[in-house]
């Protein structure tokens, strides 16, 4: 296999920057969701954020069979990931959620190995360092709870999403694919609302206080910025970065989450947290070094 060209390296760098930007925005979501769940049920919050996000991509949607089927499948994995994470946050802390969610960095290489893809030893080492770093950063030592199980399921859904997205991202326009998968996720989330909160659809939106009392600002922020923009960045970025390296970059999410938790609700990291954050950053940098690039298929 030939060495990567300058154009290829620049393209990969762009992908890395896009994925890093996505993790920064995701880092704000834990605090926002945690503060919003007291007023909005998980199913409703998930539906509104994806319905809002999908609106931005409607002009770019292409109604052809290939992109629709890809968006349908990705919507299944994405709905599963966001739904289980949101449910989990009802029972566990934001820090524990960040730690357990990041286990996709382990699941992604496992899934790729199962389908026969060869991985760089460097990537495997970086993934292990990232897991240790996230553990030091986020794990709070409290006993296991129901939310942890839901969040572990989220990690599996999201790992599958990362792997499958990489397969589709190079085939279709990032804007079109983002729009279809967000629309599918909004539809699946609406079905969740109809099962879990049917009274919400029939009464709450028509109540006198809905417009004035509903937490519109955080929910719309989740939809427009944390969901719409990041899905576009991720879809575009993963067309240029392979799944294991993307998963390692995504472990920066709890680093940013801790930063915003400190800025917004004054949660402090401590020495262990700083060591964990440093380990995650080191893992991300290690995964991007050009050592053994030709080992991967």
């Amino acid at each position: 296999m030939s060495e990567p060209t300058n154009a290829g390296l620049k393209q990969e760098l762009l992908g890395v920057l896009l994925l890093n930007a996505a993790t920064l925005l995701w880092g704000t979501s834990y605090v926002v969701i945690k503060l919003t769940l007291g007023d909005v049920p998980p199913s409703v919050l998930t539906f509104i954020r994806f319905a809002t996000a999908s609106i931005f991509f409607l002009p770019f949607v292409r109604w052809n069979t290939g992109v629709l089927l890809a968006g349908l499948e990705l919507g299944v994995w994405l709905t599963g990931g966001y739904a289980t994470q949101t449910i989990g946050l009802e029972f566990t802390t934001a820090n524990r959620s960040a730690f357990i969610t990041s286990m996709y960095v382990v699941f992604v290489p496992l899934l790729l190995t199962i389908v026969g893809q060869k991985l760089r030893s460097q990537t495997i080492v970086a993934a292990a360092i990232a897991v240790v770093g996230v553990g030091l950063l986020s794990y709070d030592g409290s006993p296991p709870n129901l939310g942890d199980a839901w969040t572990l399921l989220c990690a599996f859904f999201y790992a599958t999403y990362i792997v499958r997205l990489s397969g589709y991202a190079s085939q279709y326009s990032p804007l079109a694919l983002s729009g279809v998968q967000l629309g599918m996720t909004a539809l699946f989330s609406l079905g969740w609302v109809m099962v879990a909160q049917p009274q919400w659809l029939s009464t709450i939106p028509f109540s006198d206080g809905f417009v004035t009392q509903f937490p519109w600002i955080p929910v719309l922020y989740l939809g427009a910025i944390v969901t719409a923009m990041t899905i576009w960045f991720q879809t575009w970025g993963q067309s240029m970065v392979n799944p294991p390296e993307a998963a390692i970059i995504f472990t920066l999410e709890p680093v940013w989450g801790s930063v915003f938790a400190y800025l917004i609700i004054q949660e402090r990291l401590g020495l262990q947290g700083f060591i964990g954050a440093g380990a995650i950053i080191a893992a991300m940098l290690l995964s991007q070094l050009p050592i053994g690039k030709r080992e991967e298929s």
Side-chain angles (χ1 to χ4, degrees):
M1 185 182 296
S2 61
E3 293 289 342
T5 64
N6 287 336
L9 291 174
K10 289 180 180 179
Q11 189 176 49
E12 184 174 0
L13 176 60
L14 173 60
V16 169
L17 292 175
L18 287 168
L19 298 182
N20 272 277
T23 66
L24 187 153
L25 294 174
W26 284 333
T28 67
S29 67
Y30 292 95
V31 173
V32 177
I33 292 173
K34 195 71 177 174
L35 294 175
T36 306
L37 282 175
D39 302 309
V40 185
S43 59
V44 175
L45 179 60
T46 304
F47 165 63
I48 293 180
R49 70 182 288 188
F50 278 97
T52 301
S54 62
I55 291 172
F56 291 93
F57 293 96
L58 285 177
F60 307 103
V61 171
R62 299 294 179 266
W63 301 106
N64 65 68
T65 304
V67 75
L68 285 175
L69 290 176
L72 175 63
E73 181 191 345
L74 293 174
V76 170
W77 301 119
L78 202 55
T79 303
Y82 277 89
T84 50
Q85 183 187 61
T86 305
I87 294 172
L89 278 167
E90 287 193 293
F91 305 99
T92 194
T93 64
N95 278 342
R96 285 174 70 97
S97 177
F99 167 60
I100 298 171
T101 299
S102 70
M103 291 302 292
Y104 56 67
V105 78
V106 176
F107 291 148
V108 166
L110 286 176
L111 290 172
L112 290 173
T113 301
I114 290 172
V115 297
Q117 180 168 326
K118 185 179 180 181
L119 302 175
R120 291 188 297 159
S121 56
Q122 176 185 343
T123 300
I124 297 172
V125 171
I129 294 173
V131 171
V132 172
V134 174
L136 290 171
L137 174 66
S138 304
Y139 191 68
D140 59 12
S142 58
N145 58 65
L146 180 62
D148 296 345
W150 280 108
T151 312
L152 186 62
L153 185 58
C154 162
F156 171 76
F157 278 127
Y158 200 63
T160 308
Y161 173 76
I162 290 171
V163 172
R164 297 300 294 152
L165 175 60
S166 287
Y168 292 124
S170 59
Q171 299 180 42
Y172 305 107
S173 159
L175 288 170
L177 186 57
S178 297
V180 175
Q181 62 181 302
L182 286 170
M184 294 296 182
T185 306
L187 287 176
F188 293 142
S189 301
L190 177 60
W192 182 20
V193 175
M194 295 173 67
V195 172
Q197 299 288 334
Q199 73 283 1
W200 192 92
L201 289 173
S202 59
T203 59
I204 303 298
F206 305 102
S207 62
D208 294 335
F210 178 66
V211 174
T212 57
Q213 297 177 12
F214 190 80
W216 286 109
I217 292 178
V219 171
L220 291 177
Y221 171 77
L222 285 173
I225 305 300
V226 178
T227 307
M229 188 172 290
T230 59
I231 288 294
W232 178 37
F233 284 176
Q234 183 181 1
T235 302
W236 187 8
Q238 278 201 236
S239 67
M240 298 173 273
V241 177
N242 65 45
E245 292 178 7
I248 293 168
I249 293 171
F250 294 153
T251 58
L252 285 170
E253 180 181 350
V255 176
W256 290 115
S258 296
V259 170
F260 288 110
Y262 169 73
L263 294 175
I264 298 171
I265 57 179
Q266 286 73 57
E267 286 188 2
R268 295 183 179 275
L269 273 182
L271 177 60
Q272 176 179 307
F274 279 110
I275 294 173
I280 294 170
I281 294 171
M284 192 274 289
L285 294 175
L286 175 61
S287 74
Q288 295 308 309
L289 292 176
I291 302 171
K293 283 285 187 182
R294 287 177 294 177
E295 290 181 36
E296 290 187 357
S297 57

